[in-house]
């Protein structure tokens, strides 16, 4: 992974951990989307499906 991609992943994971300001729809949307992206990043890093089953890739 390139340094820029690693930095982007860290940023998304940081935003995903944030607490949105109550009643601020934009904050809530940003955090929600970041959480979904962070989950996809984790699945890709650990090679698991959404249900947690390890993925097998044939070379």
């Amino acid at each position: 992974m390139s340094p820029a991609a690693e930095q982007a992943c860290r940023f998304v994971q940081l935003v995903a951990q944030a607490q949105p300001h109550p009643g601020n729809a934009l904050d809530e949307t940003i955090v929600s989307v970041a959480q979904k992206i962070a989950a996809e990043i984790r699945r890709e890093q650990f090679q698991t499906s959404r249900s947690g089953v390890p993925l097998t890739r044939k070379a």
Side-chain angles (χ1 to χ4, degrees):
M1 187 180 311
S2 72
E6 288 178 16
Q7 186 176 10
C9 287
R10 284 194 304 271
F11 176 76
V12 168
Q13 291 166 343
L14 180 67
V15 173
Q17 295 173 5
Q19 295 295 319
H21 291 99
N24 187 326
L26 179 60
D27 276 3
E28 291 171 1
T29 300
I30 290 170
V31 172
S32 174
V33 170
Q35 289 171 343
K36 291 175 185 175
I37 295 170
E40 288 294 329
I41 291 169
R42 282 191 302 277
R43 282 192 283 276
E44 182 65 28
Q45 287 174 337
F46 297 110
Q47 298 295 307
T48 57
S49 67
R50 288 182 182 215
S51 64
V53 176
L55 298 176
T56 55
R57 295 185 187 219
K58 295 182 180 182

